Amino acid sequence: MLVAGARPNYMKIAPIYWAITDGDRRDFDVELVHTGQHYDATLSGDFFRDLELPQPSVNLGVGSGSHAAQTAAVMERFEKVVLEKRPDVVVVVGDVNSTLACALVVPKLAYDETGKRPLLVHVEAGLRSRDRTMPEEINRVLTDAVSDVLFTTCRDGTENLLAEGVPLYRIHFVGNPMIDSMRRCAARADGAVLRDLGLEGRPFALCTLHRPSNVDRAEVLAEILGTLQEIGAQMPVLLPLHPRTRERIRRFGLQERVASLARPGHEAPARGLLALEPLSYLEMLAMLQAARCVLTDSGGIQEETTALGVPCVTLRDNTERPVTISEGTNVLGGTTRNGILAALATARAKGAKGARVPELWDGRAGVRIVEALARLGAR
Ligand code: UD1
């Protein structure tokens, strides 16, 4: 049973699904479950289409809510599904609330009086920002603490788990499934957005922003938007807007800092901070491939830019993905004007020198995961 709940999850379950179906592995039956944490087509259904995944057979339909309400709703509904479907293995991915909620259900279940229960597998285990004010960090630490099998994307993930007392035999360094998805879909990247906006062959910066720590406080959001406007004086900064960020810009009266671009047929001006509707996965890939530089508070985009060799400034003071800094194109910029501008200069110099793609980010993580599960007898 492969579980997804929110936007960054789909690209992590897809490579496992493909490894089973492409490899014609009849020793596995797959069931896709969606918790419904994300429900808008642009944050959910469209991704299944772009990744050529079937729609999930179960959608728990939990929707939005406080952390506690959302986590509790997933737990209650997911327990019923597991008891009904009786999977041998439950795979959770990443660090969203749905990941933790489903993980907490599994170890306390029993199918019968022998205590039989599914194996709990966490993909993208061991990442640590060491910033416990991030909800995702709580989700990572707790999910790893209750998982039976932990698949890591990088060696520091394995080291973090060992330092927390996870026995080595539970940990498998398999590489990064997010990069599997990116490589597989690269040829289908959808450049329509670049054509619609007249951006083909022109320099532009791409920005994504959605962390509560960046968008929920007026003064922090205002400083970031002001800095993006400053960068936008040199080349257009394209900002596809997460619904949360759009709402906060309106609530804090910051609309005049951002020009809205309607597509299609609305050519991007040579300068400015330009908001877009959320992009599909294939559109985002085309934008990432073509961008001169990227500014983001997303985890996945730090990894995708490193794999593509595109300079990236992370709009945070820390990252759970340090390999993107030590080997890749990523630089921490924080959230102040001076920090962001200095990091942008460093990232562009780093990108020009050429960065390394981290070990095992080679498009085969999904295959390694399925092979490891088969070896564990999880079928
Ligand atoms: C969640 C994840 C975050 C991930 C991000 C990717 C947690 C704690 N956070 O944050 O790690 O990087 O997804 O997008 O799990 N909303 C919609 N439509 C939707 C879903 C949400 O409009 O389909 C709006 C609602 O107003 C909602 C808000 O976005 O309250 C936040 O959604 P939520 O899923 O709680 O968190 P994200 O900020 O998306």
Side-chain angles (χ1 to χ4, degrees), residues 5 14 89 152 175 192 222 265 301 303 312 314 378:
V89 187
T152 58
I301 291 177
E303 300 182 333
C312 176
T314 293

Side-chain angles (χ1 to χ4, degrees), residues 177-251:
M178 189 104 170
I179 304 305
D180 291 18
S181 285
M182 194 182 79
R183 285 177 181 246
R184 178 159 170 146
C185 297
R188 289 190 295 121
D190 182 358
V193 57
L194 295 166
R195 286 192 294 281
D196 285 355
L197 300 172
L199 283 170
E200 280 176 311
R202 284 172 54 193
F204 68 91
L206 177 66
C207 178
T208 78
L209 209 54
H210 75 286
R211 295 272 160 223
S213 55
N214 282 347
V215 304
D216 283 0
R217 279 171 44 212
E219 66 280 11
V220 177
L221 183 57
E223 174 135 356
I224 294 174
L225 294 179
T227 311
L228 294 173
Q229 283 181 298
E230 215 173 304
I231 298 165
Q234 292 153 31
M235 63 177 133
V237 178
L238 278 294
L239 177 66
L241 277 183
H242 186 284
R244 175 190 206 101
T245 312
R246 181 177 292 284
E247 191 279 326
R248 296 299 191 267
I249 288 175
R250 200 177 310 123
R251 188 191 299 182

Side-chain angles (χ1 to χ4, degrees), residues 28 80 121 179 181 194 254 259 310 338 350:
F28 286 87
K80 291 197 180 82
V121 172
I179 304 305
S181 285
L194 295 166
L254 295 167
V310 176
N338 292 350
K350 222 176 169 185

Side-chain angles (χ1 to χ4, degrees), residues 130-145:
R130 302 198 164 76
D131 173 1
R132 295 241 174 150
T133 65
M134 273 180 97
E136 291 81 0
E137 182 73 354
I138 306 294
N139 296 343
R140 292 180 199 115
V141 169
L142 297 179
T143 302
D144 287 340

